[in-house]
Amino acid sequence: MTCCRLASLLLAVLVAVPARADDPPTWKAGAARVKITPERLMWMSGYGDRNKPAEGTLIDLWAKALILEDPDGKRVALVTMDLVGIPRDLSAAVCADVARKHRLPRERVCLAASHTHTGPVVGHNLSAMYFLDDEQQKLVGDYATALHAKLVDVVGAAIANLAPADLARGNGHVTFAVNRRNNKEADVPGLRDLGRLKGPVDHDVPVLSVRDRQGRVKAVVFGYACHATVLSFYQWSGDYPGFAQLDLEKAHPDAIALFWAGCGADQNPLPRRSVALAEKYGQELARGVDDVLAAPMTPITGKLMAAYAEVALPFDDLPSRDKLVEDSTSTNRYVASRARNLLRQLKDNGSLAGTYPYPVQAWQLGDGLTFVALGGEVVVDYSLRLKKELGRDTTWVAGYTNDVMAYIPSLRGAQGGRLRGGRGDGLLRPADRVGAEGRGRDRRRGAGPGPEGARRALTGRFAK
């Protein structure tokens, strides 16, 4: 799945059912939030070298839901979470319950993580990174169970708050994200002063405003492509996105602020490692959003369309059983943990899966805005390419949605040697390399429906 093939897939989706520009602005919207700060001092996510549970709370963690309803009564639910990610099994279970209880089918629910590295471990998400005793394993499992219920309930609360609303969109600009592959962290302040920072970045700040008929901001959705890694200590925190949301909610007391992370797998907030810097970047991002809210924005009219598909993304070369047995005794505990995990899969299933069901989601909000949601830790090349293909001012691209299973590097990133698509049970093939090998090879390898199948699935669902 190259950027080009993904763009082609989404173009096919978006032309399937054109939106009408003459529809009256009779949208509805409702928002709600629920605190998801762990009640117990459990293991923290984000960094594999953690050696103890959390010690307290800097700022609370939240899950927030925004329901949008178009003039025909069609709805979508965006659920944002101050979490590093959400695993596939929990995502599927939550969406199944949302469909059953709230009549929102899978393509109309997007679960978006901020990717804060000072939140809790969530279920099996990135589990090979952590080495937990029985007590911590139980806390992690209990937290995932409670989170499941809260996510389903917050969607219901947002539906209950539906009211007529005016929607508008705009784009801001904030520059603290730095390409971490092309710039040494210690050199960044000097390089920034000289204007010599290198590497691709995406400094856009997409903003969606929801106002009531009196013009009051009731919800604001915004995104940014940058790791939430300012902080690395042992206090619960939403990192800079959490501070940005707090600042916006202070500035707009009637509003709920929702953040989604863009394609920032290779982007860091630099310099970092202090609460003062997390607050500073949060303030910068909030100001960028407020600048958009204060300026003329483009109204959203028309209808909602939604699509969701899972692309069979191949793993890299799979290890033999002998190699796994050898790796299981490695002095590198992460290599050994992954090998033991894979050996369990071999025992249980008889073989290792050759592909991973990679989630791709797209919404068209009215007649001018396309929201693309990709799973995993996606590098910036994807957002830049999709916006080039689909329109920079009208295309928003989120990563870390629906399932955070691995890095999703481009060929450029893989060749640089700093990012490879890895998770606890294998390595995802760098996505541009999949495209370079061609569609025919994917079929010979038994890679599933591939891009054509995904295109048909998305087009068919958008047409409904």
Side-chain angles (χ1 to χ4, degrees):
M1 182 180 64
T2 63
C3 293
C4 182
R5 288 160 68 183
L6 182 55
S8 299
L9 181 154
L10 291 167
L11 282 169
V13 166
L14 298 174
V15 301
V17 181
R20 301 199 327 249
D22 57 351
D23 290 321
T26 56
W27 288 67
K28 293 182 180 180
R33 66 179 186 171
V34 61
K35 187 165 69 173
I36 58 171
T37 311
E39 297 178 0
R40 301 281 301 277
L41 295 179
M42 56 182 287
W43 213 260
M44 301 185 78
S45 63
Y47 298 105
D49 61 352
R50 292 195 182 279
N51 56 18
K52 58 185 176 181
E55 296 176 334
T57 301
L58 177 65
I59 57 175
D60 278 315
L61 309 177
W62 297 90
K64 304 174 182 180
L66 176 66
I67 305 295
L68 301 178
E69 180 180 295
D70 76 2
D72 287 344
K74 297 292 181 64
R75 296 172 178 174
V76 292
L78 173 64
V79 181
T80 64
M81 303 161 287
D82 294 330
L83 296 172
V84 72
I86 188 168
R88 174 179 168 78
D89 58 346
L90 180 56
S91 176
V94 168
C95 289
D97 275 354
V98 168
R100 179 174 58 84
K101 293 184 177 181
H102 305 307
R103 299 183 180 181
L104 283 164
R106 180 65 191 87
E107 68 271 13
R108 294 183 176 271
V109 181
C110 179
L111 305 179
S114 71
H115 202 53
T116 177
H117 282 43
T118 44
V121 175
V122 182
H124 301 294
N125 184 238
L126 307 176
S127 58
M129 291 173 57
Y130 313 114
F131 300 86
L132 309 179
D133 60 23
D134 290 344
E135 179 186 5
Q136 287 298 320
Q137 289 280 11
K138 184 177 187 305
L139 289 175
V140 168
D142 290 347
Y143 180 81
T145 299
L147 178 67
H148 178 154
K150 288 181 177 182
L151 295 181
V152 176
D153 289 347
V154 77
V155 171
I159 291 173
N161 291 335
L162 277 168
D166 294 316
L167 310 184
R169 60 179 173 84
N171 277 305
H173 189 75
V174 171
T175 61
F176 62 78
V178 176
N179 193 299
R180 63 181 177 137
R181 289 205 313 273
N182 300 108
N183 304 277
K184 292 182 179 180
E185 188 164 337
D187 297 340
V188 165
L191 292 172
R192 179 178 276 125
D193 290 343
L194 295 171
R196 294 181 181 175
L197 290 171
K198 300 177 181 179
V201 294
D202 183 355
H203 286 158
D204 288 349
V205 181
V207 179
L208 173 70
S209 68
V210 177
R211 301 177 190 263
D212 64 17
R213 291 306 168 84
Q214 289 72 48
R216 293 172 298 198
V217 178
K218 303 299 289 184
V220 56
V221 181
F222 63 107
Y224 193 57
C226 183
H227 257 91
T229 56
V230 181
L231 302 174
S232 58
F233 58 7
Y234 287 83
Q235 302 282 319
W236 302 125
S237 163
D239 208 280
Y240 78 82
F243 284 110
Q245 291 171 83
L246 286 175
D247 284 357
L248 287 166
E249 290 172 351
K250 289 177 183 176
H252 306 277
D254 296 324
I256 290 178
L258 302 91
F259 172 85
W260 52 263
C263 297
D266 52 351
Q267 311 291 308
N268 273 349
L270 299 178
R272 55 182 178 170
R273 301 309 189 210
S274 74
V275 173
L277 283 170
E279 292 176 331
K280 175 179 181 289
Y281 297 145
Q283 291 165 1
E284 288 182 17
L285 186 53
R287 282 197 301 269
V289 173
D290 261 330
D291 287 346
V292 176
L293 294 174
M297 299 179 70
T298 302
I300 291 178
T301 60
K303 306 294 177 67
L304 274 170
M305 294 183 288
Y308 176 90
E310 294 179 350
V311 178
L313 189 60
F315 286 110
D316 209 341
D317 295 332
L318 296 177
S320 67
R321 187 183 186 283
D322 289 344
K323 176 61 175 172
L324 293 175
V325 170
E326 176 187 343
D327 285 350
S328 69
T329 62
S330 171
T331 56
N332 183 320
R333 64 177 185 166
Y334 303 104
V335 171
S337 175
R338 187 180 70 184
R340 289 192 293 268
N341 189 3
L342 288 167
L343 285 170
R344 284 193 293 271
Q345 289 189 38
L346 271 175
K347 181 179 178 180
D348 293 343
N349 304 323
S351 63
L352 299 177
T355 63
Y356 190 86
Y358 180 75
V360 178
Q361 188 169 20
W363 293 347
Q364 185 164 314
L365 304 180
D367 52 12
L369 176 61
T370 301
F371 177 67
V372 179
L374 304 175
E377 297 200 45
V378 189
V379 297
V380 74
D381 302 84
Y382 288 90
S383 62
L384 297 178
R385 180 59 181 267
L386 287 171
K387 287 194 282 189
K388 178 181 178 182
E389 296 289 335
L390 302 176
R392 174 177 175 177
D393 294 334
T394 57
T395 305
W396 299 351
V397 188
Y400 308 95
T401 62
N402 299 311
D403 178 12
V404 178
M405 79 303 288
Y407 281 107
I408 306 299
S410 63
L411 183 59
R412 179 185 60 83
Q415 288 175 334
R418 294 291 301 278
L419 294 177
R420 296 190 71 199
R423 63 169 190 159
D425 55 0
L427 291 172
L428 289 174
R429 186 182 300 277
D432 276 354
R433 190 170 7 148
V434 176
E437 291 177 348
R439 188 175 302 153
R441 178 174 170 83
D442 287 351
R443 288 173 178 161
R444 289 194 301 273
R445 288 172 57 89
E452 283 299 311
R455 183 192 64 78
R456 289 193 296 271
L458 282 168
T459 304
R461 285 172 185 151
F462 242 144
K464 292 181 181 178

